[in-house]
Amino acid sequence: MRAEKRMGRVKEYILREIQEKKTIHMTLLDPDRVGPEEAAEVASKAYQAGTSAIMVGGSIGVSEGMTDEIVLSVKKRVPIPVILFPGSPTALSRYADAVWFISVLNSQNPYFITGAQMQGAPIVKRYGLEAISLGYIIVGWGGAVSIVSYTRPLPFAKPEIAAAYALAAEYMGFEFVYLEGGSGGKPVPPSVVRAVKRTVSLPVIVGGGIRKPSTARALAKAGADIIVTGTITEEAGDVYSAIKSIIEGIQQGVKERELSAV
Ligand code: 1GP
């Protein structure tokens, strides 16, 4: 089991999903905001609506015990991978399938670029978690994560800086790159996604403030490989319909992207 995890099973699954669907959706659950039962309920509805994986993490107030409870509860209900999205090395769960091994590239504090990673790496190894390296770039509003990680978010109006960071991530050997607008804020604009996609060949993840199908559609059209939503599941009365309409937006964006490529 442990050896299997280290072989990159989750990464292979993600890449296969992207190859098949072009742009995929992941659902983020924040243990500070949902309890284990609600998390399982949300994950199950998101899975039925077509989400490809469940991410678990948050910037503030998340312990390992809380993460364990969410992961175990979600894993009982859905067959898709549960990937940690840790805000700190103390939010790693041995029960997850993989961990986004994040470096906040535009942080001003080395702790968030290599320090927390140094503290967390031995835990990841001990737990036998599959580590998937992720160059994390905070843009626009930035939200709680930019405050916690001492990051000066990149302005939306300077997409070439985000693209340069993403290229640096590719040259440094990261496997994925993440454009983060900040949870609950203003989404990353398609212009930034387009600039990054034109520059790198890494799969690009986009998250933060995506609530409308039209936003998801524009981001998929701009080339996002993975679209992450979190807050929408906390706000929506009907989680299934909310995620379903985001995924329909994504599918529409993919169609438009393919048509414009012809
Ligand atoms: C994950 O921050 C996102 O990158 C989640 O953002 O909560 O706004 O969907 P939302």
Side-chain angles (χ1 to χ4, degrees), residues 61-116:
V62 182
S63 69
E64 175 163 340
M66 289 159 82
T67 309
D68 279 348
E69 281 182 352
I70 301 281
V71 171
L72 285 171
S73 170
V74 167
K75 282 196 70 69
K76 268 194 225 140
R77 292 286 288 278
V78 297
I80 48 178
V82 176
I83 308 171
L84 301 173
F85 190 52
S88 88
T90 60
L92 294 165
S93 167
R94 68 186 78 218
Y95 305 111
D97 298 296
V99 54
W100 290 119
F101 202 81
I102 304 170
S103 176
V104 186
L105 299 180
N106 58 325
S107 171
Q108 310 231 297
N109 182 334
Y111 179 74
F112 294 93
I113 307 170
T114 57

Side-chain angles (χ1 to χ4, degrees), residues 141-170:
W141 177 63
V145 69
S146 71
I147 294 165
V148 169
S149 65
Y150 295 85
T151 299
R152 190 173 52 170
L154 308 176
F156 284 156
K158 287 277 173 199
E160 67 274 20
I161 304 180
Y165 265 110
L167 187 59
E170 180 161 318

Side-chain angles (χ1 to χ4, degrees), residues 177-188:
V177 76
Y178 198 118
L179 297 172
E180 173 65 82
S183 180
K186 256 190 140 188
V188 177

